[in-house]
Amino acid sequence: MRRSSILSLVISTALGIAIVSDGDDDWTGFGTWGLVACALVYLVAGLLRAEVRRTRLVWAQVAGVVGFGAVAGIALLVDPEVGRYLVAAGWLAHAGWDLAHFRANLVVPTWYALACAVVDAFVGVSLAW
């Protein structure tokens, strides 16, 4: 594992712990819209880095934004307890999205994808807990 990946794991673990230990149980703020923002980062970063030159990659990133946005929107419309678990599942799914990008070494730098996977997993588990 490269040094940048190890540093990424250490920093993202600390950040994940800080996010989930704030004691804020309101998942409708950062919990919901942070999910959409994370998906947007991949689209924008990929476009800025010219990593999504292939049409298929562009559409995959757009589908990610739409999909995670739909999860966030639906979570706000259903019963709050169901919505909380839906958002938690969305964060865990985004951690998988991150790992797919990490393994493919596409769209964003690998250190970012790895860090995002760790933070997303922390947030998803904390919401489900």
Side-chain angles (χ1 to χ4, degrees):
M1 187 177 274
R2 293 193 312 252
R3 199 163 99 195
S4 63
S5 294
I6 293 170
L7 183 60
S8 174
L9 282 174
V10 171
I11 292 171
S12 62
T13 299
L15 179 60
I17 290 170
I19 288 171
V20 301
S21 66
D22 72 352
D24 185 11
D25 285 337
D26 181 19
W27 58 269
T28 61
F30 170 77
T32 303
W33 300 113
L35 181 60
V36 180
C38 286
L40 274 171
V41 166
Y42 276 78
L43 176 61
V44 172
L47 290 170
L48 291 175
R49 296 179 73 223
E51 285 283 327
V52 290
R53 285 173 277 209
R54 292 177 283 174
T55 304
R56 193 174 62 136
L57 280 176
V58 172
W59 285 113
Q61 300 314 307
V62 169
V65 172
V66 170
F68 291 113
V71 168
I74 292 168
L76 293 172
L77 296 174
V78 298
D79 178 79
E81 198 59 31
V82 173
R84 177 186 185 97
Y85 288 112
L86 187 57
V87 170
W91 279 100
L92 293 173
H94 198 274
W97 180 261
D98 300 325
L99 291 175
H101 284 82
F102 174 77
R103 288 188 50 115
N105 193 19
L106 290 171
V107 183
V108 294
T110 55
W111 66 264
Y112 179 84
L114 186 60
C116 196
V118 171
V119 171
D120 292 356
F122 268 102
V123 173
V125 168
S126 73
L127 286 171
W129 202 271

